Amino acid sequence: MNTRFPFVDWFRNSSPYINAHRGRTFVILIEGEAMAQGRGEQLIQDLALLHTLGVRLVVVFGIRPQVNAALEAAGITPTRHDGRWIADGAIMACVERVAAEQRLWLEARLSLGLPNTPLHGVELTAVSGNLVMAKPLGVREGVDYDHSGEVRRVRAAAVQALLEQGSLVLLPPLGFSSTGEVFDLDASEVAQQAAVALKADKLILLGEADGLHDESGALQRQLTPGEAEPLRHRSAPGSELDRHLAAACGAARFGVARTHLLSWHDHDALLGELFTRDGVGTMITQHRYEQLRAAQLGDIAGLLELLEPLERRGMLVARSRERLEHEIDDYLVIERDGMIIGCAALHAFRDAGMGELACVAVHDDYRRGARGGLLLAETERRARRQGLTSLFALTTHTTHWFFEHGFRLAELSELPHLKRDAYNHARKSKILLKPLG
């Protein structure tokens, strides 16, 4: 049902995600460019909203553009090697000052509570400290990196204790050593290591790009680390793409279920990614959140919900819960983030060496993704494994789709005997046949 207020529909549809995210731990990296270009206020409002919805937040903030500006103002030109600057004493003085200024600015904005501000009535306690331990990069390829370092460990127990108290934890791109030194760190690495150490539910990387794109420029919604790594190897060392993909792939391989690559340019990206089924950016995950698999009894409710609109329009013959339970082993489903968005069934007539392709259905919102073709291809593989030599289908609405996938019109006499006897002459379904070579 449509509403006069589109927000109301969105809010209703987001409720499963509100429940799913409550009590979860998210590590969010905000690159320094977002703050430098005035996006900080909006992002802080979104963080405050997530906090009020019960999300446990660890926020890592970058400072690269602010440090570059400070170095330029001071007349300092940093030496760079392999994508990292060499943090000598003068550079570290700028890094420490900028990090402190940025942290104080964030804490001040997170403290806003005036009646005319979005954070009115929200009490957020933002905490930072010596929560990341570091070690020097040392001498590599003959280059002494001085105070440029890498993460040794994140003090997970201390961070968890702060989260349990309801605090939002801020992590600057700085680390501390047991010798009392401070090291300049890559913010992406801090975010990755924090997510792994905390066993975070999500790692969210807010950068320039709105995700990853294929050769045609289309946004890639989901990739595994293996699929994303080649993109990283083609990127420039030290570039944002290089750093974010290193963090995303590393986090996925060490147990972080989902890493999201989003653009801070998009005002709706953070909430749109978290509270809609399809999201807006690219997700790196060890396991795909859309999968084609064999149906299970637990899918019955989802199948009924998928099929009901098509049955109501006369596109499919109505199937009862009992029938679906009895035939569940014949079904394939496409599951997307817990929702059944596609299905197909293979009913075997082994005496005739034929299989019926039945109940091919894809949710209206997902019909442009060639999912019907995927269901058909997997059904054909199933049929061949069972020793069947041809597929047939009955349809009243989608004859041309079957033509496009290699079927031809057939006669009733070509069907298996049992199917001929059960044919509904009143429905006048077209009969289509495809040999399995």
Side-chain angles (χ1 to χ4, degrees):
M1 184 193 314
N2 291 328
T3 175
R4 289 182 297 128
F5 306 102
F7 164 77
V8 174
D9 275 340
W10 178 86
F11 192 63
R12 288 181 181 129
N13 292 329
S14 69
S15 60
Y17 298 96
I18 294 173
N19 291 326
H21 297 334
R22 186 176 293 112
R24 304 294 186 180
T25 299
F26 295 176
V27 176
I28 301 177
L29 167 65
I30 303 174
E31 288 288 2
E33 287 79 4
M35 304 300 182
Q37 296 192 31
R39 282 285 290 117
E41 299 280 357
Q42 177 70 49
L43 287 170
I44 286 169
Q45 293 169 20
D46 291 348
L47 295 176
L49 176 58
L50 292 176
H51 177 80
T52 62
L53 293 174
V55 179
R56 294 150 50 108
L57 294 174
V58 176
V59 177
V60 182
F61 58 91
I63 56 173
R64 283 174 178 253
Q66 292 88 343
V67 171
N68 279 328
L71 293 175
E72 185 176 348
I76 300 172
T77 301
T79 301
R80 298 178 182 273
H81 184 74
D82 200 25
R84 289 287 296 271
W85 57 41
I86 297 170
D88 59 20
I91 289 175
M92 276 306 297
C94 284
V95 168
E96 291 172 16
R97 175 172 59 80
V98 169
E101 291 172 350
Q102 194 65 52
R103 178 179 61 80
L104 289 172
W105 184 86
L106 285 165
E107 290 176 355
R109 306 316 291 173
L110 288 165
S111 302
L112 273 175
L114 295 175
N116 62 341
T117 66
L119 273 68
H120 175 57
V122 178
E123 286 202 357
L124 254 172
T125 301
V127 180
S128 188
N130 60 336
L131 299 169
V132 178
M133 307 307 292
K135 59 183 178 181
L137 285 173
V139 179
R140 301 189 180 190
E141 298 178 353
V143 176
D144 187 346
Y145 279 87
D146 207 348
H147 279 80
S148 295
E150 59 186 347
V151 176
R152 182 185 293 274
R153 67 183 177 90
V154 174
R155 296 176 58 202
V159 176
Q160 291 283 17
L162 292 169
L163 295 174
E164 292 288 343
Q165 295 168 14
S167 299
L168 181 153
V169 177
L170 289 173
L171 297 180
L174 296 176
F176 305 88
S177 73
S178 56
T179 59
E181 295 175 281
V182 183
F183 289 96
D184 172 58
L185 302 178
D186 172 35
S188 301
E189 186 197 3
V190 174
Q192 174 200 337
Q193 296 295 341
V196 171
L198 296 169
K199 298 180 173 59
D201 299 280
K202 289 183 183 293
L203 170 61
I204 300 170
L205 307 175
L206 285 160
E208 289 275 354
D210 61 353
L212 303 174
H213 297 78
D214 61 19
E215 293 81 0
S216 67
L219 180 66
Q220 296 180 284
R221 295 291 188 183
Q222 181 185 2
L223 294 172
T224 63
E227 292 166 335
E229 282 286 5
L231 299 176
R232 182 196 168 199
H233 294 321
R234 294 197 293 268
S235 63
S239 65
E240 182 179 278
L241 179 61
D242 174 46
R243 294 183 294 107
H244 283 198
L245 284 180
C249 295
R253 290 196 168 106
F254 283 93
V256 177
R258 297 179 179 183
T259 296
H260 304 261
L261 305 180
L262 308 174
S263 172
W264 52 261
H265 289 285
D266 182 350
H267 287 226
D268 300 326
L270 183 56
L271 300 183
E273 183 75 3
L274 294 175
F275 296 104
T276 63
R277 185 172 299 278
D278 295 325
V280 298
T282 298
M283 184 169 68
I284 308 295
T285 176
Q286 195 69 268
H287 306 287
R288 288 191 169 274
Y289 83 131
E290 179 174 318
Q291 57 176 326
L292 172 62
R293 59 172 175 78
Q296 305 165 359
L297 285 174
D299 298 322
I300 297 293
L303 283 168
L304 289 169
E305 185 175 352
L306 171 68
L307 299 177
E308 191 274 334
L310 300 174
E311 293 170 354
R312 192 173 61 247
R313 299 202 295 264
M315 298 177 69
L316 292 176
V317 175
R319 288 164 171 80
S320 66
R321 177 181 290 272
E322 291 74 18
R323 179 179 174 183
L324 287 173
E325 289 175 353
H326 178 70
E327 298 177 343
I328 194 65
D329 291 339
D330 292 351
Y331 278 78
L332 295 165
V333 296
I334 298 176
E335 178 190 5
R336 183 180 180 85
D337 203 18
M339 176 183 178
I340 302 301
I341 65 166
C343 71
L346 172 65
H347 304 313
F349 295 80
R350 290 185 175 82
D351 290 345
M354 302 177 76
E356 179 183 10
L357 174 63
C359 201
V360 180
V362 177
H363 191 285
D364 286 345
D365 293 344
Y366 299 96
R367 289 194 171 177
R368 295 189 177 182
R371 293 175 176 86
L374 292 174
L375 288 163
L376 172 60
E378 184 58 29
T379 301
E380 290 180 0
R381 282 191 285 270
R382 272 191 165 195
R384 291 189 184 96
R385 287 198 297 268
Q386 294 181 33
L388 306 180
T389 57
S390 62
L391 283 180
F392 68 88
L394 306 180
T395 184
T396 57
H397 286 67
T398 55
T399 305
H400 281 257
W401 183 86
F402 284 99
F403 288 162
E404 292 166 3
H405 288 84
F407 286 77
R408 64 167 176 83
L409 283 175
E411 300 295 330
L412 182 61
S413 60
E414 297 180 75
L415 294 181
H417 177 73
L418 288 175
K419 194 64 183 180
R420 289 201 304 270
D421 291 346
Y423 181 81
N424 185 344
H425 291 272
R427 189 171 169 81
K428 297 182 179 179
S429 298
K430 299 289 187 182
I431 301 168
L432 298 117
L433 186 68
K434 180 179 182 178
L436 298 175

